[in-house]
């Protein structure tokens, strides 16, 4: 049985949210996850309009009462979002929620009158996605230097560019990696399971921080563990968590975010509306991952970069394959992706260097690229058998592979192309004494003369000087 990564990740994220029944959407396919039985609306009058529209549409509906509308006070809900129950969350299965679909249809007339969207599914926002990085980490020997390698330059607290990483948190011994000596923030809440095995996604935030520090040594990096549990959070909670993160230490120069979701729309996430509007009034540049679905469907919040009002405040990043000449097989793409950077088989610090730690692979590799590419991509290599894949198989066909991490790892995904670019913007600010990160973004893109080919399009390619291409192995046709 071939691996089913989307379904495998659904199982894992559902286990991390045992009290939140989830479904896959949209209801005729599987592109994102969302909360069953619930829709989102803005607080106040719009929430009332949604309730009334749903009640009118569901003529036989008896479960919706005022008690189902849970409103948070402005002091605790900066996002101004109300969750409205429109059905039984326990009804149906993972393949979709008819009550939620019906509620979305019920509000269409009211939305046409209002001239804007009034209702949304409550999507799961997760580490940049499918619903995971492009692959799982692979141990790298301590003799293998980081890639990108550490750039020349020194840390100076007085001039350091502030970079905030919203992710999974830091490993407890992260300071044993010299490049992270000046990094601050939250620790990963739980690194290992009860058997001492690293949990999936652990080290994701540390790996990202290491990439920023390597590309731009003069950075003050702060990592928040907002996405600690299976790298996932509900849209209704994410906006508040972003406000909390930026206000904890002040709005940073650069916000590096390697998470998001598609939603089948071209106007963003309702749950992030308040945060994104506030971002526009700040000087912060959001550098966001384009996602790992190999799709042209807009992935939020990265796709805000394609909306005119956010063009200078958001930079969306796709991933290049190991040689940096073409797009990685997993990378999302399209006009809403504004630049690409190396994102396949990068090397950074996954764990600290104090002691080796075991990890059991969760996903089995595929026999061929699941996206149809003709090179030896991360779908296929290096080969391993994964625990979640075996759990979903009709019969156990192999024992999950276990490896040991003792510092460095190779890892792939738009998750990691993103901090490379965040570091390049920060490095440009330091080199040119530019204090405006949005101006630095514009200058960096204007000065760039490098391009790559992604799905037949020539796109801006941002390759840091210390990055070393990784040879790509083409697949030979059978004789």
């Amino acid at each position: 049985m071939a691996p089913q990564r989307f379904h495998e990740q659904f199982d894992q994220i559902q286990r991390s949210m045992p009290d939140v029944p989830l479904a896959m959407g949209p209801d005729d396919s599987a592109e994102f996850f969302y909360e069953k039985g619930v829709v989102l609306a803005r607080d106040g009058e719009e929430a009332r309009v949604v309730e009334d529209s749903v009640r009118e549409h569901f003529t036989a509906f008896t479960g919706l009462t005022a008690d189902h509308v849970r409103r948070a006070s402005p002091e605790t809900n900066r996002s101004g979002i109300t969750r409205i129950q429109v059905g039984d969350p326990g009804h149906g299965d993972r393949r979709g929620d008819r009550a939620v679909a019906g509620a979305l249809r019920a509000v269409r007339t009211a939305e046409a009158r209002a001239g804007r969207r009034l209702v949304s599914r409550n999507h799961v926002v997760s580490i940049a996605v499918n619903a995971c990085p492009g692959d799982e980490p692979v141990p790298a020997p301590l003799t293998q230097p980081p890639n990108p390698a550490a750039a020349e330059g020194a840390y100076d607290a007085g001039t350091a560019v502030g970079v905030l990483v919203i992710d999974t948190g830091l490993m407890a011994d992260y300071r044993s990696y010299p490049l992270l000596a000046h990094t601050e923030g939250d620790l990963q809440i739980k690194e290992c399971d009860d058997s001492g095995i690293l949990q999936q996604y652990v080290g994701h935030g540390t790996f990202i921080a290491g990439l920023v520090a390597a590309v731009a040594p003069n950075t003050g990096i702060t990592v928040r563990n907002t996405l600690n549990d299976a790298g996932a959070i509900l849209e209704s909670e994410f906006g508040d968590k972003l406000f909390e993160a930026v206000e904890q230490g002040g709005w940073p120069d650069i916000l590096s975010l390697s998470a998001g979701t598609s939603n089948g729309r071209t106007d963003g996430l309702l749950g992030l509306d308040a945060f994104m509007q506030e971002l526009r009034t700040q000087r912060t540049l959001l550098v966001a991952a384009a996602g790992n679905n190999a799709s042209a469907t807009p992935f939020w919040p990265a796709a805000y970069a394609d909306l005119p009002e956010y063009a200078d405040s958001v930079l969306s990043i796709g991933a290049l394959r190991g040689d940096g000449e073409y797009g990685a097989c997993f990378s999302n793409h399209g006009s809403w992706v504004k630049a690409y950077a190396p994102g396949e088989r990068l090397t950074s610090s996954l764990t600290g260097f104090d002691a080796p730690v075991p990890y059991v692979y969760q996903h089995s590799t595929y026999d061929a690229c699941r996206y149809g590419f003709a090179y030896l991509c991360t779908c296929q290599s290096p080969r391993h058998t994964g625990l979640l894949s075996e759990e979903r198989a009709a019969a156990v066909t192999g024992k999950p592979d276990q490896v040991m991490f003792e510092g460095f790892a190779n890892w792939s995904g738009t998750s990691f192309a993103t901090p490379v670019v965040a570091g390049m913007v920060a490095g440009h600010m330091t080199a040119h004494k530019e204090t405006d990160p949005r101006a630095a973004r514009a200058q960096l893109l204007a000065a760039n003369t490098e391009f790559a080919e992604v799905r037949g399009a020539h796109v801006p390619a941002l390759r840091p000087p210390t990055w070393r291409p990784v040879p790509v192995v083409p697949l030979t046709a059978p004789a």
Side-chain angles (χ1 to χ4, degrees), residues 104-116:
L104 299 180
R105 290 192 298 271
V107 185
R108 286 175 183 169
T109 300
E111 288 181 324
R113 285 196 297 265
R116 70 170 182 169

Side-chain angles (χ1 to χ4, degrees), residues 35 72 186 316 320 325 382 407:
E35 183 181 11
D186 305 326
S316 50
L320 299 175
E325 296 298 326

Side-chain angles (χ1 to χ4, degrees), residues 185-255:
D186 305 326
L187 297 180
Q188 179 84 35
I189 293 176
K190 186 177 181 181
E191 297 181 3
C192 298
D193 63 17
D194 294 339
S195 301
I197 306 295
L198 279 175
Q199 299 189 107
Q200 194 173 19
Y201 304 125
V202 165
H204 193 265
T206 304
F207 194 95
I208 285 171
L211 291 171
V212 175
V215 175
N218 192 30
T219 46
I221 303 169
T222 302
V223 180
R224 296 294 173 213
N225 61 5
T226 306
L227 300 168
N228 190 75
D229 292 331
I233 189 172
L234 288 173
E235 178 183 340
S236 57
E237 301 171 3
F238 192 42
D240 278 1
K241 291 294 186 181
L242 288 175
F243 273 121
E244 180 181 310
V246 297
E247 291 171 352
Q248 189 169 347
W251 285 80
D253 295 310
I254 300 169
L255 173 56

Side-chain angles (χ1 to χ4, degrees), residues 285-362:
L285 174 67
L286 171 61
V287 184
N292 303 325
N293 295 30
S295 170
T297 301
F299 183 81
W300 308 96
Y304 279 99
D306 207 37
L307 302 182
E309 62 268 37
Y310 293 103
D312 67 337
S313 56
V314 181
L315 180 55
S316 50
I317 304 300
L320 299 175
R321 71 182 194 181
D323 63 1
E325 296 298 326
Y326 296 88
C329 71
F330 51 78
S331 181
N332 284 350
H333 53 91
S335 62
W336 56 273
V337 184
K338 300 307 179 183
Y340 292 76
E344 190 175 70
R345 308 188 200 279
L346 299 183
T347 306
S348 183
S349 174
L350 181 81
T351 65
F353 296 79
D354 289 348
V357 188
Y359 177 74
V360 174
Y361 281 105
Q362 301 297 299

Side-chain angles (χ1 to χ4, degrees), residues 10 39 53 73 161 194 220 258 270 282 323 361-362 364 386 444 471:
F10 180 95
V39 295
S53 298
S73 67
V161 177
D194 294 339
S258 294
L270 197 63
Q282 302 292 330
D323 63 1
Y361 281 105
Q362 301 297 299
S364 297
L444 183 67

